[in-house]
Amino acid sequence: MIVRALHRWPGLLALALVTMLAVTGAALSVFPAAERLAAPQAEQAMSVADLAMRIKATIPGVEQIKRSPSGRITAYWFDGGTPGSVVIDPATGAAVASADSNKVERWLTNLHRSLFLDDAGRIAMAAGAAAMLVLAVSGCMLVARRAGGWRRWFAPLRRPLAGRVHVEIARGAVLGLLLSSATALWMTASTFGFFPDKAVVPELPSTVSGEMGARLESMPLLAETPVSSLRELSFPYPGDPTDVFTLKTDSGTGYLDQGTGATLGWSDLSGWQRVSEIIYMLHTGQGASLLGLLLGLMALGVPAMGVTGLFIWLAGRSGRPRIRDNAAPGRAETVILVGSEGGSTWGFAATLHSALTRAGQHVHAAPMSMFDPTRFSRARRYVVLAATYGDGNAPASAKGFLDRLARLPAAPDAPLAVLGFGDRSFPAFCAYAEAVAVAAEGKNWPLLLPFDTVDRQSPQEFARWSRTLGEALGIDLELNHQLVHPETDALTLVSRRDYGHEVQAPTAILRFALPRLSAWQRLTRQGFAGFEAGDLLGILPEGSPMPRFYSLASGSRDGFLEIVVRKHVGGICSGELMGLEAGGTVAAFIRRNPAFHADRNRDALILIGAGTGIGPLAGFIRANTSRRPIHLFFGMRHPGSDFLYREELEAWSAADRLSSLSTAVSRGASPRYVQDALRAEAAEAARLIREGARVMVCGGRQMAAGVSEVLTRMLEPQGLSPAVLKAQGRYVEDVY
Amino acid sequence: MRTIFAALALTTALTLSGIAMAKPVTLTTTLKNYGGNGAYLAIYVTDPKGAYAGSLWMAGTKSKYYEHLSDWYRATGGNTAEINGITGASVGAGRQMEITLDLADALFDAGYILHIDAAVEDMRDSPNEIAVPLTAGGASQSVQGRRYIANFSYGM
């Protein structure tokens, strides 16, 4: 929680400042590289004496020679009252270009470091750099935590688009941002004189020979020093016998007698100075232009991360209820751990949290994925509220909980209550919560309350459970949970196609018009903006507070919402939908389901579905404009009656959006199920999986179990299994 | 235009000679439009033997950059105690700086020379940009600098 707050607030507050720093920094990174390319370089063994002589021959009035870190050599002279300067080709000593400083670069530099506001601006920009440093460090910790450890830094992610883009950019750019922001802070501190890194010069010689005109090549120090280590060489004032040559190199500063050529004094760079110079090089890329370009490129990720970060924040705000007065983890007596997929379990957590807080307790609510007993040092009891995702899997906010629990040397002493949320019409009812309860028992975690469940978000069951919790705590606890209804829109049916009457499975493909979106929804991709095939359409049937979910067979780019519905006997929602005529409306909302999106890489997809399960799979194929290989296995009852999407599949096949189609027909002389069709193609399917293909299964529970069995046998010889593929995100199911 | 008044206690050498008489002198420095960031200027005096005698003013507050005022830095070792209390902001291109300070009478017509070192970020350093003898007769006479200073004069 603290790490996330450390990431969120500097990010939002400093968004403009950090973006300004990043964009100007990226633009500035180009200059050292351009200078490096344009500057004629000195040959390897050339000495400063050689260079000075060549320049003196073409520019007799030369006063000073400077070498920049890029290797560019500039000569300065003073002639007849006017100063001049040119870039020199060290090979000839001749002028090759004007040495005027670049106006654009200077303008950008001043904007980048001080917003043209001098010291106040420098402090503001340093605050921006500090914000960037905090963001980079806290962001790394968040990524590591989400991915399940530092070793899994590059593990693939299943998250909504904004979150994915945010993290993918961060993974690539964060090292550069850490370096740039840390060096920026050092440079600001150095500019304000916080470090003893000022230049050290030798004592001015008290006696000089008083002669003039020693030859440059006879000065040992100049002959020994290679041009590559030269910083600058200043000539004595013409006609002033008391003046000296001043030589600055990358190791120090010294004086030379202009009459004898002898070295009159030398002082080395101090350690602080060397460090400051290295920091300067790392930050500006001057003397390390490739690194500079790389840092510039990484900085360009900052604006993109700013925008996606803003979306993540907005989406997070709308996704779950705010927990008011959430106690700090280290102060909480009661810790509520929430495993929620769509946010409704958070609603129950918020109700429990506020009731306990009103009863005078310090209560901390956190996602189950943040479970870490060392953070909850004063916890006297734990309450786990957990939904279940799919076939007994962890819901989104509980990822990694069981692993964390398993890794603990011992369960916490504070007792535990587990409450599962689910739907009894599914066989895996509260299976995840149950798995948590079993794992806790295995660890000998003391019980506060026995395992209990809430069916279909029933407020009555929740109230009953809360009374037993109240008894256990010795307080009067009566929770009156108001279901938070998601905001729905009225969707208008545009068209329907009916199938399956002949085989006693009335099914329809329903197509709804997209509701009008506000500009804000479009921008933040909330509501009906930016959904994909595989996301869920929640429908609130008349007379029931419980939404039913249908997998979407279309994405927002298609311009319509399409679902496949089969009529169930006595089903309120399917009955309402099947009775709908074109022009009729239903109340609906979108729930994102990033775990069941077709990812964006080029590896083959193996799609397996039966009956209405073809919906999202058809959506993936429809969206496959990049023509990645997609192989579809589809099970139906009879091709004459419920061959859903038949015409489209033919057209998509002709357009290379679908590579192959294998069907299985379950009615007739030789009934076959989709898993049989898969088994028939086992060799080919196994080859595709070996080469990286991803398997996506959608349909009924029995079918999914059958597919898993076939896959297990098929992959065994390769030392693979559905479980391994699942862990890699290459085997996903949407099962009902 | 900027006017700064400073009471100057100039160098031990001069106070040791026991001369306490002083008069206000105004130093006016106008910069050229050289097209760069603000200039750092070190104004100081050398004695008849050419040795550093003391500083009159430092325009520019970041000691990190003083090394580019190379004659002044060489003479003082960059010791900021030399300019304690007589430091102001750097001077922008095309701008004028006016300073009024009390200078000991003994400095005039005695072989003392007033120097200005100038430096601008990312441009050439210009030590000894100005070197004018301090004389009663030279007052109010305008001198041109080598690189950055359009004109400089001191008036009594």
Side-chain angles (χ1 to χ4, degrees):
Chain A
M1 219 41 124
I2 291 167
V3 178
R4 191 165 338 131
L6 269 178
H7 196 69
R8 180 189 300 147
W9 293 111
L12 289 170
L13 291 174
L15 187 59
L17 210 54
V18 168
T19 303
M20 165 80 87
L21 279 169
V23 172
T24 51
L28 281 167
S29 73
V30 177
F31 290 95
E35 188 182 307
R36 177 78 180 76
L37 287 177
Q41 302 287 318
E43 61 256 46
Q44 276 290 308
M46 191 174 187
S47 72
V48 173
D50 286 340
L51 176 71
M53 280 195 304
R54 280 182 205 178
I55 295 174
K56 188 98 182 160
T58 55
I59 307 170
V62 62
E63 283 188 320
Q64 196 176 44
I65 300 168
K66 275 193 188 176
R67 180 182 180 277
S68 76
S70 70
R72 185 173 79 169
I73 290 166
T74 313
Y76 300 89
W77 74 88
F78 202 78
D79 197 14
T82 45
S85 60
V86 284
V87 175
I88 295 288
D89 179 359
T92 60
V96 290
S98 149
D100 289 342
S101 70
N102 186 321
K103 282 202 178 72
V104 178
E105 186 179 3
R106 194 177 66 240
W107 187 85
L108 277 170
T109 304
N110 282 327
L111 179 60
H112 181 74
R113 70 177 168 203
S114 68
L115 296 166
F116 308 114
L117 293 175
D118 214 356
D119 281 357
R122 282 176 200 267
I123 291 166
M125 288 317 231
M132 195 182 301
L133 187 62
V134 171
L135 283 169
V137 171
S138 55
C140 284
M141 292 166 71
L142 286 177
V143 169
R145 196 158 74 191
R146 291 273 161 76
W150 294 100
R151 284 197 204 150
R152 291 174 47 79
W153 180 254
F154 284 108
L157 292 168
R158 308 243 162 267
R159 304 181 59 187
L161 182 68
R164 217 162 49 222
V165 171
H166 193 81
V167 174
E168 294 295 359
I169 296 174
R171 282 169 166 169
V174 75
L175 263 184
L177 300 180
L178 279 169
L179 184 65
S180 292
S181 51
T183 49
L185 290 174
W186 178 289
M187 283 166 64
T188 309
S190 166
T191 300
F192 281 102
F194 293 158
F195 299 140
D197 59 349
K198 68 172 198 166
V200 181
V201 292
E203 285 280 316
L204 200 59
S206 51
T207 53
V208 294
S209 67
E211 293 160 31
M212 305 203 297
R215 295 159 58 82
L216 288 162
E217 68 269 33
S218 68
M219 302 185 178
L221 189 57
L222 293 191
E224 283 160 18
T225 308
V227 171
S228 57
S229 62
L230 174 71
R231 292 281 169 78
E232 65 178 66
L233 174 67
S234 301
F235 289 72
Y237 290 119
D240 180 357
T242 64
D243 203 3
V244 292
F245 281 93
T246 307
L247 176 72
K248 291 187 183 174
T249 72
D250 54 13
S251 54
T253 302
Y255 301 126
L256 289 85
D257 192 296
Q258 58 173 323
T260 64
T263 305
L264 298 173
W266 180 265
S267 48
D268 284 327
L269 292 184
S270 72
W272 277 95
Q273 242 177 313
R274 282 174 202 274
V275 172
S276 273
E277 285 188 1
I278 290 168
I279 299 256
Y280 183 82
M281 175 183 78
L282 291 176
H283 188 86
T284 61
Q286 285 173 26
S289 53
L290 272 182
L291 173 73
L293 279 179
L294 199 63
L295 291 180
L297 201 63
M298 289 172 165
L300 281 182
V302 168
M305 282 192 280
V307 172
T308 49
L310 199 60
F311 285 160
I312 293 168
W313 177 66
L314 290 169
R317 268 165 61 96
S318 61
R320 65 178 194 205
R322 272 176 61 87
I323 305 276
R324 284 177 200 286
D325 305 321
N326 204 13
R331 282 169 43 87
E333 308 154 57
T334 301
V335 175
I336 304 176
L337 297 169
V338 186
S340 182
E341 181 67 32
S344 55
T345 308
W346 273 109
F348 286 96
T351 305
L352 176 61
H353 186 281
S354 73
L356 290 174
T357 305
R358 257 180 288 136
Q361 292 198 5
H362 290 293
V363 190
H364 178 73
M368 287 171 74
S369 55
M370 308 259 292
F371 173 61
D372 178 2
T374 57
R375 293 175 62 224
F376 309 125
S377 48
R378 289 202 205 157
R380 296 181 50 198
R381 63 196 69 87
Y382 287 90
V383 178
V384 167
L385 307 182
T388 295
Y389 177 72
D391 199 7
N393 295 324
S397 79
K399 292 267 184 296
F401 175 83
L402 288 175
D403 291 339
R404 280 170 182 252
L405 178 58
R407 277 201 301 267
L408 288 183
D413 296 329
L416 168 76
V418 179
L419 182 64
F421 290 82
D423 185 336
R424 269 193 206 284
S425 60
F426 291 92
F429 173 64
C430 293
Y432 179 72
E434 209 171 338
V436 170
V438 169
E441 199 184 342
K443 276 269 177 193
N444 294 319
W445 194 337
L447 274 187
L448 178 66
L449 288 180
F451 175 66
D452 208 342
T453 58
V454 170
D455 183 27
R456 298 191 204 193
Q457 305 185 18
S458 158
Q460 293 83 1
E461 292 188 20
F462 187 56
R464 175 178 49 71
W465 173 82
S466 69
R467 280 193 292 274
T468 56
L469 177 66
E471 282 163 26
L473 301 184
I475 55 177
D476 198 15
L477 202 59
E478 179 71 39
L479 296 190
N480 182 14
H481 182 63
Q482 304 286 330
L483 279 184
V484 186
H485 290 303
E487 256 180 68
T488 60
D489 272 291
L491 293 187
T492 307
L493 187 71
V494 178
S495 65
R496 59 179 293 163
R497 286 184 283 166
D498 284 88
Y499 298 84
H501 270 288
E502 301 81 354
V503 289
Q504 296 79 47
T507 307
I509 300 177
L510 302 179
R511 187 176 283 192
F512 297 92
L514 267 183
R516 286 182 64 88
L517 294 172
S518 67
W520 177 246
Q521 284 176 319
R522 237 183 278 267
L523 191 67
T524 57
R525 298 172 79 86
Q526 288 179 1
F528 284 92
F531 62 88
E532 288 183 43
D535 283 334
L536 302 172
L537 186 68
I539 294 190
L540 269 185
E542 282 171 32
S544 164
M546 274 286 291
R548 312 291 197 273
F549 292 95
Y550 296 87
S551 292
L552 276 161
S554 64
S556 49
R557 284 199 195 144
D558 296 316
F560 52 80
L561 291 138
E562 195 167 273
I563 55 173
V564 184
V565 181
R566 187 181 145 198
K567 186 170 170 57
H568 293 276
V569 182
I572 309 176
C573 194
S574 68
E576 183 182 333
L577 285 168
M578 289 302 276
L580 210 59
E581 295 297 334
T585 59
V586 286
F589 60 94
I590 290 278
R591 177 174 291 177
R592 313 272 178 234
N593 185 22
F596 204 71
H597 286 171
D599 52 8
R600 271 174 188 68
N601 61 38
R602 294 285 310 154
D603 294 326
L605 275 183
I606 298 176
L607 307 180
I608 304 168
T612 56
I614 194 173
L617 310 183
F620 301 151
I621 301 168
R622 192 193 333 254
N624 182 27
T625 49
S626 64
R627 297 178 183 170
R628 77 192 278 191
I630 296 187
H631 305 272
L632 173 64
F633 292 86
F634 175 44
M636 65 193 110
R637 296 188 180 195
H638 193 282
S641 178
D642 65 344
F643 195 159
L644 298 155
Y645 289 105
R646 180 177 203 152
E647 299 77 18
E648 282 99 329
L649 287 171
E650 279 167 12
W652 292 332
S653 181
D656 279 340
R657 293 190 190 190
L658 176 62
S659 311
S660 76
L661 168 64
S662 308
T663 55
V665 174
S666 64
R667 296 268 171 100
S670 52
R672 251 162 53 101
Y673 294 101
V674 71
Q675 51 266 45
D676 302 316
L678 180 64
R679 194 182 295 117
E681 303 282 345
E684 174 67 2
R687 183 185 67 80
L688 288 169
I689 291 172
R690 202 168 51 238
E691 288 169 7
R694 183 160 179 249
V695 183
M696 303 182 77
V697 182
C698 186
R701 199 156 298 278
Q702 280 186 331
M703 177 221 62
V707 167
S708 177
E709 212 179 292
V710 171
L711 276 174
T712 306
R713 237 172 281 149
M714 189 170 93
L715 294 173
E716 214 168 18
Q718 306 184 20
L720 277 174
S721 68
V724 171
L725 292 181
K726 238 179 206 174
Q728 297 173 347
R730 287 170 57 204
Y731 182 78
V732 287
E733 293 174 318
D734 185 7
V735 180
Y736 40 85
Chain B
M1 168 87 81
R2 179 198 328 254
T3 307
I4 297 155
F5 296 92
L8 182 72
L10 181 67
T11 78
T12 45
L14 292 169
T15 43
L16 274 180
S17 62
I19 298 160
M21 300 290 285
K23 57 174 161 290
V25 178
T26 301
L27 310 179
T28 309
T29 315
T30 311
L31 296 194
K32 291 182 193 166
N33 251 321
Y34 50 81
N37 287 342
Y40 271 49
L41 305 174
I43 308 180
Y44 58 100
V45 176
T46 54
D47 68 16
K49 281 178 255 163
Y52 171 79
S55 294
L56 303 183
W57 191 256
M58 173 64 84
T61 52
K62 305 263 181 309
S63 60
K64 181 183 154 93
Y65 301 130
Y66 290 167
E67 61 163 316
H68 296 285
L69 304 162
S70 40
D71 280 2
W72 178 86
Y73 199 83
R74 221 159 55 174
T76 60
N79 182 6
T80 50
E82 295 281 337
I83 47 165
N84 230 340
I86 47 170
T87 304
S90 59
V91 187
R95 309 290 285 273
Q96 190 179 69
M97 174 177 76
E98 208 174 279
I99 313 160
T100 301
L101 29 76
D102 290 330
L103 275 189
D105 292 342
L107 288 172
F108 290 86
D109 299 309
Y112 285 89
I113 295 179
L114 181 148
H115 300 262
I116 302 182
D117 286 9
V120 175
E121 183 182 14
D122 291 334
M123 299 177 86
R124 74 186 298 178
D125 300 342
S126 187
N128 223 18
E129 168 88 17
I130 295 272
V132 280
L134 288 173
T135 59
S140 304
Q141 282 181 20
S142 182
V143 203
Q144 216 191 344
R146 282 153 54 96
R147 175 72 185 88
Y148 299 109
I149 296 178
N151 56 69
F152 167 81
S153 63
Y154 56 93
M156 288 180 271

